[in-house]
Amino acid sequence: TYVERWIFLGDDVSDWQATFTVEPSDSIADVVAGSRNAVERANEVLDACTDLAAPLPRSRPGRSAASVRWSLTHMIEETGRHAGHADILRELIDGTTGR
């Protein structure tokens, strides 16, 4: 959620470690809703992009935006990496491996 918001929406993240925790009052539904909201807003930004080489249209004072291509590639990489982490945890729980 935070990476999506940082890359596509220009949100500032000063403490990445803090993004790995949730408040005790947050439910799974809250976390999923936050993620879906970030993706929906990012998709709105991306829908307006017509050139993969162009920088993302976000405002981050004093910082240039990465290209749309780099940003999408980075998100694919991040998603794959973390999906792999989840798969490792699942394998540790049930002992099943897949191809």
Side-chain angles (χ1 to χ4, degrees):
T1 300
Y2 288 94
V3 173
E4 191 96 21
R5 293 180 61 83
W6 174 70
I7 289 177
F8 298 112
L9 305 176
D11 285 9
D12 189 32
V13 178
S14 59
D15 182 3
W16 282 104
Q17 285 301 325
T19 69
F20 291 99
T21 60
V22 295
E23 295 298 321
S25 60
D26 287 340
S27 67
I28 292 172
D30 294 332
V31 173
V32 171
S35 177
R36 287 184 176 154
N37 178 267
V39 169
E40 184 178 308
R41 292 187 54 213
N43 284 342
E44 291 170 3
V45 169
L46 289 167
D47 286 345
C49 296
T50 59
D51 181 1
L52 291 174
L56 282 171
R58 63 177 187 191
S59 61
R60 290 186 66 177
R63 300 176 92 178
S64 59
S67 72
V68 175
R69 178 180 288 111
W70 182 91
S71 301
L72 288 169
T73 302
H74 183 72
M75 282 308 300
I76 291 167
E77 180 182 69
E78 283 285 314
T79 301
R81 178 180 301 118
H82 294 296
H85 293 158
D87 195 47
I88 290 168
L89 293 173
R90 187 210 37 85
E91 287 178 15
L92 290 171
I93 291 168
D94 67 14
T96 303
T97 59
R99 294 181 125 207

